[in-house]
Coordinates of all heavy atoms in Angstrom, one line a residue:
D111 N 44.1 15.6 6.1 CA 44.3 16.1 4.7 C 44.9 14.9 3.9 O 44.5 14.7 2.8 CB 45.3 17.3 4.7 CG 45.3 18.1 3.4 OD1 44.2 18.1 2.8 OD2 46.3 18.6 3.0
I112 N 45.9 14.2 4.4 CA 46.6 13.1 3.7 C 45.7 11.9 3.6 O 45.6 11.2 2.6 CB 47.9 12.8 4.3 CG1 48.9 14.0 4.1 CG2 48.5 11.5 3.8 CD1 50.2 13.9 4.9
L113 N 45.0 11.6 4.7 CA 44.2 10.4 4.8 C 42.8 10.5 4.3 O 42.0 9.5 4.5 CB 44.3 9.8 6.2 CG 45.7 9.4 6.7 CD1 45.7 9.0 8.2 CD2 46.2 8.3 5.9
T114 N 42.4 11.6 3.7 CA 41.1 11.7 3.1 C 41.2 12.0 1.6 O 40.2 12.2 0.9 CB 40.2 12.7 3.8 OG1 40.9 14.0 3.7 CG2 39.9 12.4 5.2
D115 N 42.4 12.1 1.1 CA 42.7 12.5 -0.3 C 43.5 11.4 -1.0 O 44.7 11.2 -0.6 CB 43.3 13.8 -0.4 CG 43.4 14.4 -1.8 OD1 44.0 13.7 -2.7 OD2 43.0 15.5 -2.0
K116 N 43.0 10.7 -1.9 CA 43.7 9.6 -2.5 C 45.0 10.0 -3.2 O 46.0 9.3 -3.2 CB 42.8 8.8 -3.5 CG 41.6 8.1 -2.9 CD 40.8 7.5 -4.0 CE 39.6 6.8 -3.4 NZ 38.5 7.7 -3.0
R117 N 45.0 11.2 -3.8 CA 46.1 11.8 -4.5 C 47.3 12.1 -3.5 O 48.4 11.6 -3.7 CB 45.7 13.0 -5.2 CG 46.8 13.9 -5.8 CD 47.4 13.3 -7.1 NE 48.4 12.3 -6.8 CZ 48.7 11.2 -7.6 NH1 48.0 11.0 -8.7 NH2 49.6 10.4 -7.3
K118 N 47.0 12.8 -2.5 CA 48.0 13.1 -1.5 C 48.5 11.9 -0.7 O 49.7 11.8 -0.4 CB 47.4 14.1 -0.5 CG 47.2 15.5 -1.1 CD 46.6 16.5 -0.1 CE 46.3 17.8 -0.8 NZ 45.6 18.8 0.2
F119 N 47.6 10.9 -0.5 CA 48.0 9.7 0.2 C 48.9 8.9 -0.7 O 50.0 8.4 -0.2 CB 46.7 8.9 0.5 CG 47.0 7.5 0.9 CD1 47.6 7.2 2.1 CD2 46.7 6.4 0.1 CE1 47.9 5.9 2.5 CE2 47.0 5.1 0.4 CZ 47.6 4.8 1.7
K120 N 48.6 8.8 -2.0 CA 49.5 8.1 -2.9 C 50.9 8.7 -2.9 O 51.9 8.0 -2.8 CB 48.9 8.0 -4.3 CG 49.6 7.1 -5.2 CD 48.8 6.8 -6.4 CE 49.3 5.7 -7.3 NZ 48.5 5.4 -8.5
D121 N 51.0 10.0 -3.0 CA 52.3 10.7 -3.0 C 53.0 10.4 -1.7 O 54.2 10.2 -1.7 CB 52.1 12.2 -3.2 CG 51.6 12.5 -4.6 OD1 51.7 11.7 -5.5 OD2 51.1 13.6 -4.8
Y122 N 52.3 10.4 -0.6 CA 52.9 10.2 0.7 C 53.5 8.8 0.8 O 54.5 8.5 1.4 CB 51.9 10.4 1.8 CG 52.5 10.7 3.2 CD1 53.0 12.0 3.5 CD2 52.5 9.7 4.2 CE1 53.6 12.2 4.7 CE2 53.1 10.0 5.4 CZ 53.6 11.2 5.7 OH 54.2 11.5 6.9
C123 N 52.7 7.8 0.3 CA 53.2 6.4 0.3 C 54.5 6.3 -0.5 O 55.5 5.7 0.0 CB 52.2 5.5 -0.4 SG 50.7 5.1 0.6
V124 N 54.6 6.9 -1.7 CA 55.8 6.9 -2.5 C 57.0 7.5 -1.7 O 58.1 6.9 -1.7 CB 55.6 7.6 -3.8 CG1 56.9 7.7 -4.6 CG2 54.5 6.9 -4.7
E125 N 56.7 8.6 -1.1 CA 57.8 9.2 -0.3 C 58.3 8.3 0.8 O 59.5 8.4 1.2 CB 57.2 10.5 0.4 CG 57.1 11.7 -0.6 CD 56.4 12.9 0.2 OE1 56.6 13.0 1.4 OE2 55.7 13.6 -0.5
H126 N 57.5 7.4 1.3 CA 57.9 6.6 2.5 C 58.1 5.2 2.2 O 58.0 4.3 3.0 CB 56.8 6.8 3.6 CG 56.8 8.2 4.2 ND1 56.2 9.2 3.6 CD2 57.4 8.7 5.3 CE1 56.4 10.3 4.4 NE2 57.2 10.0 5.4
G127 N 58.3 4.9 0.9 CA 58.6 3.5 0.5 C 57.5 2.5 0.6 O 57.8 1.3 0.7
V128 N 56.3 2.9 0.6 CA 55.1 2.0 0.6 C 54.6 1.9 -0.8 O 54.4 2.9 -1.5 CB 54.0 2.5 1.6 CG1 52.8 1.7 1.4 CG2 54.6 2.5 3.0
D129 N 54.4 0.7 -1.3 CA 54.0 0.5 -2.7 C 52.6 0.9 -3.0 O 51.7 0.8 -2.2 CB 54.2 -1.0 -3.1 CG 55.7 -1.4 -3.1 OD1 56.5 -0.7 -3.6 OD2 56.0 -2.5 -2.5
V130 N 52.4 1.4 -4.2 CA 51.2 1.9 -4.7 C 50.9 1.3 -6.1 O 51.8 0.7 -6.7 CB 51.1 3.4 -4.8 CG1 51.2 4.0 -3.4 CG2 52.2 4.0 -5.7
I131 N 49.7 1.5 -6.6 CA 49.3 1.1 -8.0 C 49.9 2.0 -9.0 O 49.8 3.2 -8.9 CB 47.8 1.0 -8.1 CG1 47.2 0.1 -7.0 CG2 47.4 0.5 -9.5 CD1 45.7 0.2 -6.9
P132 N 50.5 1.4 -10.1 CA 51.0 2.3 -11.2 C 49.9 3.2 -11.7 O 48.8 2.8 -11.8 CB 51.5 1.2 -12.2 CG 51.8 0.0 -11.4 CD 50.8 0.0 -10.3
E133 N 50.3 4.4 -12.1 CA 49.3 5.4 -12.4 C 49.5 6.0 -13.8 O 50.6 6.1 -14.3 CB 49.4 6.5 -11.3 CG 48.3 7.5 -11.4 CD 48.4 8.4 -10.2 OE1 48.9 8.0 -9.1 OE2 47.9 9.6 -10.3
Y134 N 48.4 6.6 -14.3 CA 48.5 7.3 -15.6 C 47.9 8.7 -15.4 O 47.0 8.9 -14.6 CB 47.7 6.5 -16.7 CG 48.1 5.1 -16.9 CD1 47.4 4.0 -16.5 CD2 49.3 4.9 -17.6 CE1 47.8 2.7 -16.7 CE2 49.7 3.5 -17.9 CZ 49.0 2.5 -17.4 OH 49.4 1.2 -17.6
T135 N 48.3 9.6 -16.3 CA 47.7 10.9 -16.3 C 46.7 11.1 -17.4 O 46.6 10.2 -18.3 CB 48.8 12.0 -16.5 OG1 49.4 11.8 -17.8 CG2 49.9 11.8 -15.5
E136 N 46.0 12.2 -17.4 CA 45.0 12.5 -18.5 C 45.8 12.6 -19.8 O 45.3 12.2 -20.9 CB 44.2 13.7 -18.2 CG 43.1 14.0 -19.1 CD 42.1 15.0 -18.6 OE1 42.3 15.5 -17.5 OE2 41.1 15.3 -19.3
E137 N 47.0 13.1 -19.8 CA 47.8 13.3 -21.0 C 48.2 11.9 -21.5 O 48.2 11.7 -22.8 CB 49.1 14.1 -20.7 CG 48.8 15.6 -20.4 CD 48.1 15.9 -19.1 OE1 48.3 15.1 -18.2 OE2 47.4 16.9 -19.0
D138 N 48.5 11.0 -20.6 CA 48.8 9.6 -21.1 C 47.6 9.0 -21.8 O 47.8 8.3 -22.9 CB 49.1 8.7 -19.9 CG 50.4 9.1 -19.2 OD1 51.3 9.6 -19.9 OD2 50.6 8.8 -18.0
I139 N 46.4 9.2 -21.3 CA 45.2 8.7 -22.0 C 45.1 9.3 -23.4 O 44.8 8.6 -24.4 CB 44.0 8.9 -21.1 CG1 44.1 8.0 -19.8 CG2 42.7 8.6 -21.9 CD1 43.1 8.4 -18.8
L140 N 45.2 10.6 -23.4 CA 44.9 11.3 -24.7 C 46.0 10.9 -25.7 O 45.7 10.8 -26.9 CB 44.9 12.8 -24.5 CG 43.8 13.3 -23.7 CD1 43.9 14.8 -23.4 CD2 42.4 13.0 -24.3

Side-chain angles (χ1 to χ4, degrees):
D111 198 33
I112 292 169
L113 295 174
T114 59
D115 188 306
K116 295 180 181 70
R117 171 74 274 150
K118 292 177 181 176
F119 169 69
K120 190 167 189 177
D121 292 342
Y122 200 79
C123 285
V124 172
E125 285 175 28
H126 291 82
V128 173
D129 291 318
V130 296
I131 302 168
E133 187 170 339
Y134 302 106
T135 65
E136 190 164 358
E137 288 72 25
D138 290 331
I139 292 168
L140 295 174

